[in-house]
Structure formats: C-alpha cells, structure tokens
C-alpha cells in the first residue's frame, strides 16, 4: 500500500484518470459517433486528456477546496 501522506497525489491521479476517461469518451462519441477504430481514437484522446488533467488537478484542487469550504460554510 501507499503511505497516507501521499493521499493527495493518489486522489488526484485517480480522479484525473476517471474524469478524463469519461469526458474523452463522451466528447469522442459526440464528435465522431461510433466509427471504425473508435476505441483506439478514444484511448488516444484519453491519454492526452489525462496528461493535461493530472497536473491541472494538482494545481487547481487547493483553490477549489478553499472556495468550496467558503461556499459550504455559509
């Protein structure tokens, strides 16, 4: 198992992977429909999206968390 001190990074890694998988699939389907080699196209889009999503979450999450706490505490 991974130490709890790395929870932030593990959470960001999993969240970015799951969200980029769902979104790249949805957008690929909307733009292309079910075409030949759809899974290959989706996989490529997912890899690119994940490469952008993971560092983005690492940067944006602390700000989003602070904003969420402010909104939820009112």
């Amino acid at each position: 198992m991974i130490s709890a001190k790395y929870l932030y990074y593990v959470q960001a890694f999993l969240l970015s992977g799951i969200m980029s998988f769902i979104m790249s699939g949805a957008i690929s389907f909307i733009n292309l429909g079910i075409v030949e080699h759809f899974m290959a196209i989706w996989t490529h889009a997912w890899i690119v999206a994940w490469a952008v999503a993971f560092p983005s979450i690492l940067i944006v999450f602390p700000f989003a968390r602070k904003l969420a706490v402010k909104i939820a505490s009112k």
Side-chain angles (χ1 to χ4, degrees):
M1 293 307 253
I2 297 175
S3 172
K5 70 180 181 178
Y6 298 112
L7 176 63
Y8 174 76
Y9 299 102
V10 172
Q11 182 181 10
F13 183 77
L14 293 173
L15 181 61
S16 64
I18 293 166
M19 288 301 298
S20 61
F21 179 78
I22 293 167
M23 294 306 299
S24 63
I27 298 302
S28 295
F29 178 74
I30 289 169
N31 286 330
L32 303 173
I34 298 297
V35 295
E36 187 176 357
H37 306 296
F38 178 80
M39 292 305 295
I41 293 167
W42 181 4
T43 302
H44 179 262
W46 178 35
I47 291 167
V48 172
W50 201 351
V52 173
F54 181 56
S56 298
I57 286 178
L58 291 176
I59 294 167
V60 172
F61 187 73
F63 301 107
R65 183 173 174 86
K66 287 178 186 176
L67 182 58
V69 168
K70 285 183 181 180
I71 292 169
S73 66
K74 290 185 179 184

